[in-house]
């Protein structure tokens, strides 16, 4: 059985690199760390992983991205994978988008950019503890 995946979705490569560094430093080899630069790429990657029977346990998504916004992405993911822990990490989400994500995607938490690494790691751990 392969390791579970933590997927980060953000249109800024620097953010994805920072997240991967922080996550791997904290969680080590317990997870596979994947990244996507927009919603469509994330959905394609999730489909590939599902076909390979690889489970995604956490998704950390930006809100403001080209094409699909983060709340829409998380809602679409929730429809197929309701147990995935969903975290929005954004500097610009509007309150309506956060409410939609909480109501329709079971959003675990919304964190602001720039994020606090301890807060992010604690949020992920609290989400994983509910699985």
């Amino acid at each position: 059985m392969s390791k579970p995946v933590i997927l980060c979705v953000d249109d800024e490569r620097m953010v994805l690199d920072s997240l991967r560094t922080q996550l791997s430093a904290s969680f080590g080899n317990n997870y596979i760390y994947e990244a996507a630069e927009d919603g469509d790429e994330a959905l394609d990657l999730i489909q590939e992983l599902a076909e390979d029977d690889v489970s995604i346990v956490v998704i950390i998504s930006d809100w403001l991205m080209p094409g699909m916004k983060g709340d829409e992405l998380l809602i679409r993911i929730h429809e197929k994978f309701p147990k995935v822990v969903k975290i929005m990490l954004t500097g610009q989400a509007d309150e309506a988008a956060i409410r939609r994500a909480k109501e329709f995607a079971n959003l675990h938490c919304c964190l602001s950019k720039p994020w606090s690494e301890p807060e992010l790691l604690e949020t992920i751990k609290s989400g994983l503890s509910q699985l």
Side-chain angles (χ1 to χ4, degrees):
M1 174 124 181
S2 64
K3 294 178 193 173
V5 170
I6 296 178
L7 172 61
C8 302
V9 186
D10 198 295
D11 58 325
E12 294 180 51
R13 175 54 58 186
M14 188 176 74
V15 169
L16 294 173
D17 292 343
S18 294
L19 286 170
R20 184 183 304 248
T21 299
Q22 291 175 5
L23 295 174
S24 60
S26 180
F27 298 113
N29 292 326
N30 295 323
Y31 300 96
I32 297 169
Y33 308 101
E34 293 284 356
E37 293 188 20
D38 61 44
D40 290 327
E41 184 182 344
L43 292 172
D44 289 344
L45 181 58
I46 290 165
Q47 187 63 42
E48 287 173 30
L49 292 168
E51 288 169 5
D52 292 339
D53 279 333
V54 176
S55 66
I56 299 171
V57 290
V58 176
I59 295 178
I60 302 166
S61 177
D62 188 15
W63 176 68
L64 186 60
M65 297 181 288
M68 189 183 316
K69 300 274 189 283
D71 58 326
E72 181 186 342
L73 171 64
L74 295 177
I75 290 167
R76 289 177 63 178
I77 292 167
H78 184 71
E79 289 168 355
K80 290 186 178 178
F81 305 98
K83 293 187 178 185
V84 172
V85 176
K86 291 163 282 295
I87 299 168
M88 200 180 304
L89 183 66
T90 185
Q92 307 181 43
D94 64 6
E95 289 302 314
I98 295 168
R99 275 197 308 280
R100 264 193 313 279
K102 284 182 178 176
E103 184 176 348
F104 298 110
N106 193 27
L107 181 69
H108 177 65
C109 190
C110 182
L111 300 175
S112 297
K113 288 181 182 175
W115 66 93
S116 147
E117 183 176 349
E119 183 181 23
L120 174 65
L121 298 174
E122 193 52 47
T123 298
I124 293 168
K125 289 174 188 171
S126 74
L128 289 170
S129 73
Q130 296 175 10
L131 294 179

